[in-house]
Structure formats: structure tokens, C-alpha cells
Amino acid sequence: MLFNSIEFMFFLPVVFLFYWFVFDKFLCNYKHKLLLQNAFVVVASYVFYGWWDWRFLLLIAFTSLCSWLSGVLMQKVDNNIDVGEAISESKSVTRKRKIITAVNIVLNLAILSTFKYYDFFVTEFAKLFHLSADGILLKVILPVGISFYTFQALSYSIDVYRRKIEPTKDIVAFFAFISFFPQLVAGPIERATNLLPQFLKKREFDYASSIDGCRQILWGLFKKVVVADNCAVVVDQVFADYANMPASSLFVGALFFAFQIYGDFSGYSDIAIGTAKLFGINLMQNFNMPYFSRDIAEFWRRWHISLNTWFRDYVYIPLGGSRTTKAKIVRNTFVIFLLSGLWHGANWTFIAWGAYHAVLFIPLILLGKNRKYTNTVAEGRLLPSIKDIVMMTLTFMFVVVGWIIFRSENIAEAWHYISGLFDMSLFSMPSVPKRDLLVVPFIGLLIVVEWFNRQGKHGLYGVEKLPYWSRYIVYTLIILLIFFMRTTPKAFIYFQF
Amino acid sequence: MKRFLIEIVIELVFSFVVLSLIYITYNAYIDPYYNKFITGKQSSMIFGTSRANIGIRPDVINSRLEGVCIYNYAFNGHQSRWGETYYNSIEKKLDKSRSDGLFILAVDPTSINSVFDKNGKESFAREKLLKKMTNVSTPIINYQYIFNEINNPIYHIFTSKAHDDGFLELYAPYDSAGFMNNKKTMITTFNNSQAKEKVSQHRLDYLNRTIDLLKNYGSVYLVRIPTAEYIRELEDSAFPDFDNQMIDIAEHSGIPYINCKNNSNLYKYTIDGNHFVTDDSFNFTNDLCDSIVKIIGY
């Protein structure tokens, strides 16, 4: 079910009303109320996911079950140790816990690899040895959101192993944690330490948080429907015929893709976080105005935060992070960026995109300047300084080049596209229909609104400061824009990851 | 919770009312086809693909032919090829209380073609709009269309306007350079689509059924609208039997076939060579009226 679909317009209020009125108010004195409410979240989430393809619900259920069992087994191992023996010092306990975690990780990654990477690697291997891979390819469709919920499940298992969180016996709460519909198919990839405890205690309806959630949903829809989907019209034209396009069109196509992917993915995250707020659940921030970054390191602290912190905590730091030799820092940085690229999909373009960002990032980390910009740009000021503008523009252009690699079908296309930009036709009129460029004012609106709310958690964060009636005018104008700027509903780009 | 629900409901109702008022006031600009579903049932109508939607002006016919109040119920080459879907929609839109109507059925080779798969199965997948639109004559506002079918950004206000009588006016002045430059693309497009399509017996049958239905409610005219010369040549070479098929259908049904395909040079076309520029929609409709007047004899 798409967030920007008619079905979701009906699904959300129905689930909301049942969640609060039937499973909270109506059953207020029932001792298993929380259990039922969580069970309802699981059912609603499975309906949400099954709307796309119910067969893959088995995968989610299996992933959830394996990860939950890993926690239960680790707890059992802990309970079986001799009295007086310090848990952390018991080698046998640690070894058993390690084995349980490893088995769970292998199982989850095996499922992910089978569906996402098997055909890619087999094809590439066959190509290398001039063999035919036809007979051994699986050719299965990629389950929507598999990378997201697999990583979420893994985080639980690893955190239990690291004793950052107590394993839960509540299987229903755990299934709700893995399948919670707002973030099931495209994140944010939640940590068990943040989300699971919220399913283990009674949720309270909070007026201010719910209103803010609605605002965030509205802004997310604006970014998706008005900006991303309309940019996609131009992007698809340009990338489909890039070989015959003047450099100016290629430039416009690349810029538009930067806004398409931002509007699409951060829009999804806004809707997910906003929707979760309606259910009394707080999800982590996934985007923090990344195009206002002044260097690549800052960009990566603001873009897809949940994935990047996942790689930081579960891969980069265990490898030694940046408190090691320079050679290892370079290796560790490459590892997380390449993995991050591969996480997006089984294609060399994603790996090249990761490598490209690693190359941009490594000089900063080696010079110790990767944390130069940890504050918000132009903090306390209305407008940025000239230096800020130059740094933001440069960073943005580097990011745009990365997006060309990301969006291309293959490396050759990316190369031709980028080399096609260096041509005198860059100064000609772009050869895309002028009416399709009418999305530009809305990109402008996105930039302006987010600039003024850059210290907030989303684009409409500051609206609450406006007088009561002005707020409603703003909401109505955005709703009208969403209605009048609709194109054919497009699936969110990150569903495929 | 109570305060939250009240505020949300107020906001949604307010937005809904504003949205409805905008749709009611500016319906002509919303979408090329929206207007067709907010007018009542019609006793005289123009049918066909986009050539008819953009090419035949009801206001001209209504001013030329006495007592006629005709409505343009043509759509485009995806939605309104002859067939069961269009037939059902026409039946819903038809005012069956009168029998003195005028019906102009614009035909062209595309309108009787279909895409067939490898197993010879005919596809009607493109006809989604008319298949889904159960309510084709809602007065004032059609929420079924607004919520389900409008997938075009408001940019339409810069390119076209749908008239109350169903005619679609394009804001596209004659562009001779664009016309010439686009020729190669159009020939490629035509050849690509013809490679996938062939004449459909289903569509021919339903063209006959549509004529049989409409004959009960008035006079029916089969019309072939001209196109740019190179498009006509392409169509003639791809479908050499088309005119004979239409003549057979017309003779069998006892209705006139007004074949204007050889009048290509009398009119100017948009850059796709398929549609008249606005002024020539006016001129062609006038010429069509002359032909009809000749047939009726007044």
C-alpha cells in the first residue's frame, strides 16, 4: 500500500480509530489490553504489507521469529550460568551467545542475499568466466523493504548480544517492532533500543505530538507528490535518452533527480515518522536538511541517518572506526561506503556510488576535518554567509554527480552522462518540455521552507508558531497543491531497496 | 483526543469544501476529460479518438444545424477506440428519451486496432478510464473522477481548455518548424505502434453495434477526419482496406460515410500531424456541416 494512495487514506483513519478507541479506551480495564493493541498493530501492518504481495509476509514473519528466538535463546544461556559467575566473564556463555547471534545474522543475511544479490553475483561471476548463468538464476522478485526490516531485526540481535537491551519474551511486541507499518517498507531503520521498549509499555495519546505528526505527514506528501513525482517526469525523459540530450538537459536531469530522490525518500520518512506519532510512537529522524550541508561528512550525518548510523555502530566501530591507523581508517571508510552502496541494490552503479562518496569522505577524515560542521548552517542568522553558500553549493554539486551514478542503469551510462555534461551545449536551452519545468517554483518552495525550518525536525515544524487560523490556511494550501499537482502515483524509490 | 479529532475533521472538511469549490468553478481547466463526466445525458454526440475531441467543435455544429445540441464525447486513442468499453460508456451517456439526435462517429485506423500478445490475446488494458468511470453524467462535481482519475498536474491550464460542450481546445498555434522537425519522430512512433497492433474484429463488431444502438435515437454519420498528408500516407500504406471496410459498414447500416481524408492540405496541424490547430477545428467543423447539410438536403 502506498502512502500516497487512496487506499491509505482510508486505511490510516480506520487503524487509528481502532487503535485508540477499541484497543485503548474500550478495553481500558482489560489486563491484556497492551497485548491486543500490539497484536492489532501486527495485523494492520501485515495487511498494509500484504496489499502489495501477501506471500512475502512469510518472510517478515520468519525474520521476526528468528530474531526473537535469538534473544530468547541468549537469555536462556544467561539463565543457565552458575550462580556467582559474572555473566560477562563466562567464556562459554559468550561463545554460546556469539553462536546464536551469528546463526541469526547468517540466516537473515542468507534470505536477503538470496532475494537481492544471488542473481547479480551469479551473473557477474558467469560473465567473468564467459559462462552462461541462465539455468541457475532464481529470477525472483525483490520483496519490498527487505533490506529495511532485515537490518532492523539484525540490530535487535546484535544489541541483545552486546547487552545493550534486555531480550524480550513478548513475541507480539517483537513482531510489532519489526513490522510496524509506517516504517516497514522504507524505514527509518529503527534500533531495538529505541522502538522495542515503546511497544512494551502503554502508549499515551499526545495532542501536540499528533498534530505535529499530521504536519509532518502533510509535508512528506508535498515532497513526494508535488516535488518528487513531478521531477520524475523530467528525470525519466532525460535518463531514457541521455545520449541525444544537450548538456543543459543532462544538467537539469541530474539536478531534478537530486530533488526527486530527496523529495521521495525524505518525504516517505516524514510520512512514516508523522504516522508513527499518531500511534504514540516516536521514530528516529532520518533526514536533517542534507542539501544544506557544507561538506560531504556533514551530508552523511544528515542523509538517511538511520542507515548510516547502523553501519557506523555495527560495522565501522567494530572494525576500529577512526581510532586506528590511517590505513585502517581508509579501509574502514571504504568498507562502510561500499556496503552502503551494495545495500541499495545489486548493481555496480550502487557500489561505484558508495566508492565515489568514500573517495570524497576520506580526505576529510584523514585531515581530521570530518566533524568541522556539526552545527546547523547560519545558526541564529536568517541568511547564510557567502562562504556557507559556496560550501553548500560545492557539496551539493558533488552529491549531484553521485546521484548520476546512482540513477544510471550501468557504469557506462553514468560515464557517458557525466562526460556529456562537459560540453558547450551546457549553455543552450534544455530540450525538455517547458511545461515539465514548471515544477521549479515548487522546488524553490521546498528549499525556502526547509531553510527557515532547518533547525526543526521537518519542514513544517515552525508552523506551530503561526497564529491559529494562519496555520489552517497553510495546511489547506498544501493540501490543494498536493491535489492539483498529482501525477500518476509512483512507488517510492526506496521500496526497491 | 477529542480536540485533535475535531481539529482534523474541521481541516479536512474545510479543505474538501475549498477543493470542491475550485473544481466547480474551474472545471474547464482541471483535466481534458473531467468536463465530460459532469454534464448530463446527451441526445446528440460526437464520438471518436483525440482527432474528434480536438477536431470537431459542437458550437459550430449547433449554430449551423437547426435544433441540434450536440456534445463532444470523444476521448483519445487509448480510451475511446471502438469496443465494449466505449460502447458501455456511450450507452450510459446517451439520453434515450429522444429519437431525433445527431451522432457523428469519427473513425480512423487506430480506432479499430488493438494490441495482441504472443498468444493472440487482445489487450484492452489502456481503456482503464472509461472502464472505471461508472458515473458519466454526475451534475456539478464528479468525485469519482477527481479522486481516482486525475493524474495530471495543473500545468494543463497552460496547454488546453475543456469546453462545456466537451470540445478540447489546445493552446497550440501552428508551428511549421516544429511540425517539420517532429515528422521523423512521428513516423517512428507510428511504425513502432503498428508493429504491435493489428485490426481487431472485436472493435469492428462493436463499431457496428454502436451504430445499431445510435440509429434508434437519431441519424448517424461515419466521418474520417483528415490528418497531415504524411500521416495519411502512413495510414493508407499500413491499412489499405480501411476505407473499404468503413464503406461496407456504412452501406450495411444504411448510414453515410463522409471520408475527408483527402482534404489534408486544407488544414493546418499541431506538431504531431494528427490534430488540427484550433482555427482549423473551426474550419473543418464548418466543412463537415456543409457535407451533412448536403446529405440532409437543407
Side-chain angles (χ1 to χ4, degrees), chain B residues 10 12 33 41 100 142 144 149 195 205 213 223 228 238 246 249:
Chain B
I10 289 173
L12 289 177
Y33 310 119
K41 288 178 181 277
D100 58 347
N142 190 322
Q144 185 191 11
E149 306 304 335
D205 290 346
L213 168 75
V223 175
M246 293 304 113
I249 288 173

Side-chain angles (χ1 to χ4, degrees), chain A residues 380-411:
Chain A
R381 283 180 286 135
L382 183 66
L383 296 171
S385 64
I386 301 288
K387 188 190 165 200
D388 287 337
I389 293 173
V390 171
M391 296 309 286
M392 282 192 293
T393 310
L394 273 176
T395 306
F396 178 67
M397 293 322 290
F398 278 124
V399 170
V400 168
V401 173
W403 289 137
I404 296 172
I405 305 169
F406 188 95
R407 174 63 174 75
S408 298
E409 296 286 321
N410 51 56
I411 298 290

Side-chain angles (χ1 to χ4, degrees), chain B residues 79-265:
Chain B
Q79 305 296 342
S80 54
R81 296 182 183 200
W82 303 106
E84 189 181 3
T85 309
Y86 198 23
Y87 177 87
N88 290 337
S89 189
I90 289 170
E91 210 177 10
K92 279 182 214 150
K93 192 74 180 172
L94 185 63
D95 177 0
K96 294 179 179 170
S97 66
R98 295 177 63 173
S99 58
D100 58 347
L102 171 68
F103 302 102
I104 296 171
L105 280 65
V107 287
D108 60 73
T110 313
S111 69
I112 55 161
N113 280 2
S114 278
V115 175
F116 290 84
D117 67 14
K118 285 176 192 166
N119 303 320
K121 197 179 170 209
E122 195 169 355
S123 168
F124 302 102
R126 288 166 171 177
E127 295 161 22
K128 275 187 262 178
L129 170 66
L130 293 186
K131 202 169 257 176
K132 279 197 262 174
M133 284 305 295
T134 49
N135 203 339
V136 299
S137 49
T138 317
I140 306 173
I141 190 160
N142 190 322
Y143 289 111
Q144 185 191 11
Y145 193 90
I146 289 170
F147 286 106
N148 294 320
E149 306 304 335
I150 295 181
N151 293 318
N152 292 307
I154 194 125
Y155 306 154
H156 274 286
I157 58 172
F158 299 110
T159 58
S160 63
K161 179 190 174 184
H163 288 231
D164 289 343
D165 55 18
F167 171 68
L168 181 66
E169 181 182 352
L170 289 187
Y171 299 149
Y174 181 58
D175 172 7
S176 60
F179 178 84
M180 293 309 289
N181 292 340
N182 208 33
K183 227 171 166 177
K184 201 175 148 193
T185 313
M186 288 309 298
I187 292 170
T188 313
T189 309
F190 182 88
N191 290 332
N192 288 344
S193 71
Q194 288 320 307
K196 293 177 212 155
E197 295 187 359
K198 57 184 181 185
V199 175
S200 152
Q201 192 53 48
H202 166 90
R203 297 203 185 281
L204 283 169
D205 290 346
Y206 266 93
L207 174 59
N208 275 312
R209 283 184 68 169
T210 309
I211 294 168
D212 290 344
L213 168 75
L214 298 171
K215 270 165 59 183
N216 298 321
Y217 302 99
S219 12
V220 181
Y221 296 84
L222 217 51
V223 175
R224 184 165 180 188
I225 299 174
T227 58
E229 188 124 8
Y230 76 93
I231 298 277
R232 178 179 60 77
E233 284 166 7
L234 285 172
E235 289 185 343
D236 281 350
S237 65
F239 306 100
D241 295 332
F242 178 76
D243 283 323
N244 288 333
Q245 281 172 313
M246 293 304 113
I247 290 167
D248 285 348
I249 288 173
E251 279 178 0
H252 178 257
S253 308
I255 60 166
Y257 175 43
I258 305 172
N259 186 353
C260 307
K261 75 166 185 181
N262 292 324
N263 299 348
S264 292
N265 294 328

Side-chain angles (χ1 to χ4, degrees), chain A residues 207 230 472 476 483-484 486-487, chain B residues 7 11 146-147 151 153-154:
Chain A
Y207 167 81
N230 282 289
Y472 285 90
T476 307
F483 251 87
F484 288 118
R486 277 179 300 168
T487 59
Chain B
E7 287 188 13
E11 174 56 36
I146 289 170
F147 286 106
N151 293 318
I154 194 125

Side-chain angles (χ1 to χ4, degrees), chain A residues 310-326:
Chain A
W310 198 101
F311 277 119
R312 182 196 66 199
D313 293 348
Y314 300 118
V315 182
Y316 186 70
I317 292 174
L319 285 173
S322 48
R323 290 178 184 171
T324 179
T325 61
K326 288 197 171 175

